[in-house]
Amino acid sequence: MPQLRLLVVADKESNYIWDHFDKSRFEGVDLIISCGDLKASYLSFLTTMVAAPLYYVHGNHDGHYLRTPPEGCTNLEDRMIEVKGIRFLGFGGCKSRSPKPFHYTEAEKAKKIVKKFPQISTFGGFDVLVTHTPAAGLGDGEDSFHQGFSSYRTLLNQFNPTYHFHGHQHLNYGVKNRTITYGNTQIINAYGYQIIDISVPVVKRKRLSYIKMRYDWGKNYAAEL
């Protein structure tokens, strides 16, 4: 069974990590995943000190990444990755009309997801969804700015990934459950930092039909709206 030890981070830089870094605490970490809204310098510090590759998605406050992206880190929104047999898919930003660049309407986010279908098809699906904003009704907030995307929920329903990591919902916003189980998916709020061991089922993987994916997506997404 493919396994990885992850350091997942989002929304708040840890004073413990910044000021009292203890390398032994992070031994065995294979990969660092950032779910957004963190300083670029913090991400560069993490990948250097932990000595593990770091993949990130943009938070809604990460416009400065366009000028000075985190050094030594990789934007997961650009392309899917596979590490030790575990496939990762990433999307950034939050649900809002403005300000740009990392605020999206529901329709804009749906278009971004559909543009990733050729990659998803090639990889035969994905095991881990990484986003900044939660899926609609699955760990999101009640106010309009912190509501999740229905398109993410459609992704979970259609592809049944094993994990979904997200940020955006700070623990002081009244978050009741940091971890939610939804079908076969474990949804984890990555606020702050956590070290998590993940594993995915061993299945025979094959390229997915792009045409069928698009057809199923249209039907499933319409049902979510």
Side-chain angles (χ1 to χ4, degrees):
M1 179 176 291
Q3 299 179 342
L4 286 172
R5 171 162 287 189
L6 304 181
L7 169 61
V8 293
V9 295
D11 298 299
K12 182 180 180 180
E13 293 85 15
S14 166
N15 291 332
Y16 168 78
I17 292 178
W18 269 125
D19 301 330
H20 309 286
F21 183 80
D22 180 359
K23 189 175 181 62
S24 65
R25 169 93 171 125
F26 303 97
E27 287 183 0
V29 169
D30 299 297
L31 201 66
I32 307 170
I33 297 293
S34 171
C35 296
D37 278 357
L38 294 166
K39 295 177 182 177
S41 57
Y42 183 67
L43 299 192
S44 298
F45 174 84
L46 287 176
T47 193
T48 300
M49 299 302 288
V50 178
L54 189 151
Y55 292 88
Y56 66 88
V57 297
H58 294 93
N60 52 289
H61 295 300
D62 290 339
H64 59 285
Y65 284 21
L66 299 180
R67 301 185 300 275
T68 53
E71 295 183 4
C73 306
T74 303
N75 181 2
L76 186 57
E77 296 173 55
D78 287 342
R79 60 182 178 85
M80 287 182 62
I81 63 165
E82 183 171 347
V83 180
K84 294 186 178 180
I86 299 179
R87 302 159 296 177
F88 293 78
L89 172 69
F91 297 97
C94 78
K95 188 176 180 180
S96 174
R97 292 184 178 275
S98 64
K100 300 301 181 184
F102 299 121
H103 293 104
Y104 305 98
T105 64
E106 181 66 57
E108 289 171 336
K109 180 57 65 175
K111 288 179 181 178
K112 281 189 168 292
I113 289 173
V114 169
K115 286 182 179 179
K116 285 288 185 72
F117 276 12
Q119 288 187 52
I120 297 173
S121 172
T122 299
F123 275 79
F126 57 95
D127 304 297
V128 182
L129 177 63
V130 179
T131 65
H132 179 59
T133 301
L138 296 172
D140 59 349
E142 296 181 0
D143 62 292
S144 60
F145 189 72
H146 289 94
Q147 289 177 0
F149 286 107
S150 295
S151 47
Y152 290 167
R153 191 177 181 114
T154 305
L155 270 179
L156 298 179
N157 290 338
Q158 184 165 338
F159 294 98
N160 295 305
T162 307
Y163 299 94
H164 177 196
F165 297 113
H166 70 81
H168 198 51
Q169 279 295 96
H170 297 202
L171 297 186
N172 60 347
Y173 292 172
V175 174
K176 295 180 180 179
N177 297 305
R178 195 175 176 99
T179 301
I180 299 171
T181 299
Y182 179 67
N184 296 321
T185 305
Q186 188 174 11
I187 301 172
I188 299 173
N189 184 337
Y191 178 81
Y193 81 95
Q194 298 176 72
I195 297 173
I196 301 172
D197 293 311
I198 69 170
S199 59
V200 302
V202 176
V203 296
K204 185 176 180 180
R205 296 173 181 172
K206 61 181 180 178
R207 186 184 182 96
L208 300 178
S209 166
Y210 176 79
I211 294 175
K212 186 176 187 305
M213 284 172 56
R214 285 296 304 268
Y215 174 79
D216 290 344
W217 169 265
K219 179 177 62 176
N220 296 336
Y221 184 50
E224 285 293 333
L225 296 177

